[in-house]
Amino acid sequence: MKAKRLALMALGLSLGLLLTACPQTPPPSGGGGGGGGEGGGSTPSFALALNPSSLTVQQGNSTQTTLTILSLIHI
């Protein structure tokens, strides 16, 4: 059980480091509004998808999930 917790903590740390290392694209100049919501930051350069999006695992059992990171930068 400790090995699973350690693996999940490592995955969380890795994902956090990956997300902070992604370059932020400056917003295009000239016009446009801030859009809805809070913050007013730049448009994300990536998308995350988790499949399945919700998961319940009973203690002692195991299952699988897939995290997909998709780049939104078109070169």
Side-chain angles (χ1 to χ4, degrees):
M1 192 67 183
K2 285 185 179 182
K4 287 183 183 181
R5 285 186 188 166
L6 183 59
L8 286 175
M9 288 174 53
L11 177 62
L13 178 61
S14 298
L15 181 57
L17 291 173
L18 176 67
L19 293 177
T20 57
C22 289
Q24 291 189 353
T25 306
S29 60
E38 309 224 355
S42 64
T43 303
S45 59
F46 60 91
L48 299 176
L50 190 60
N51 187 18
S53 60
S54 177
L55 188 62
T56 302
V57 183
Q58 297 294 324
Q59 184 175 353
N61 293 338
S62 63
T63 190
Q64 287 186 303
T65 187
T66 303
L67 173 65
T68 304
I69 304 172
L70 177 66
S71 173
L72 300 178
I73 299 173
H74 302 288
I75 300 174

